[in-house]
Amino acid sequence: VNCTVYVVGIPFDASPEDVRHFFTSDGIANVVEMRLPTWQDSGRLRGYGHVVFENATDYAKALKLSGKYMGKRYLTVEPCKAPRSGGTSAASS
C-alpha cells in the first residue's frame, strides 16, 4: 500500500520539524519519511514535498488535513501520483 502524500503550500520559512509536527499533532502516529526540497542558495524549503506514513490509517488522516492552515499558508495534501515513465534511468538498462 502506497502511504505517500504530496503536500503543496508549505511555508518557505518552515523547518522539516515544523512539517513533521503539523502531521503528528493531529493524531498521526508515525511519519516514516519526508522528502522536502530546499533552495540551493538559502537552504529554505521550496514549499512542497512528499511525506510517507507508516500505515493506511495515518495516510487517510493526513489526507483530511488538506486545506488546514500551517504558518502563513493553507496546505494542499493529496495522494501521491505514480512516478512518470519515459525518462532514462539506470533501472531500465
Side-chain angles (χ1 to χ4, degrees):
V1 174
N2 182 5
C3 295
T4 304
V5 298
Y6 179 63
V7 185
V8 181
I10 299 169
F12 301 116
D13 59 351
S15 69
E17 292 79 25
D18 295 334
V19 176
R20 183 179 300 275
H21 183 262
F22 173 80
F23 288 104
T24 58
S25 66
D26 240 336
I28 295 173
N30 195 5
V31 173
V32 176
E33 178 186 359
M34 296 188 306
R35 296 184 300 271
L36 305 170
T38 56
W39 292 106
Q40 235 177 350
D41 59 347
S42 66
R44 291 171 43 163
L45 295 181
R46 295 184 75 173
Y48 65 93
H50 294 88
V51 181
V52 182
F53 299 95
E54 186 172 54
N55 56 52
T57 303
D58 288 346
Y59 171 78
K61 287 180 185 178
L63 290 174
K64 291 180 183 177
L65 295 176
S66 189
K68 298 279 184 179
Y69 196 66
M70 178 185 175
K72 302 170 190 151
R73 302 179 73 184
Y74 290 97
L75 296 188
T76 300
V77 182
E78 53 192 36
C80 185
K81 296 180 178 143
R84 287 183 250 163
S85 62
T88 58
S89 68
S92 63
S93 51

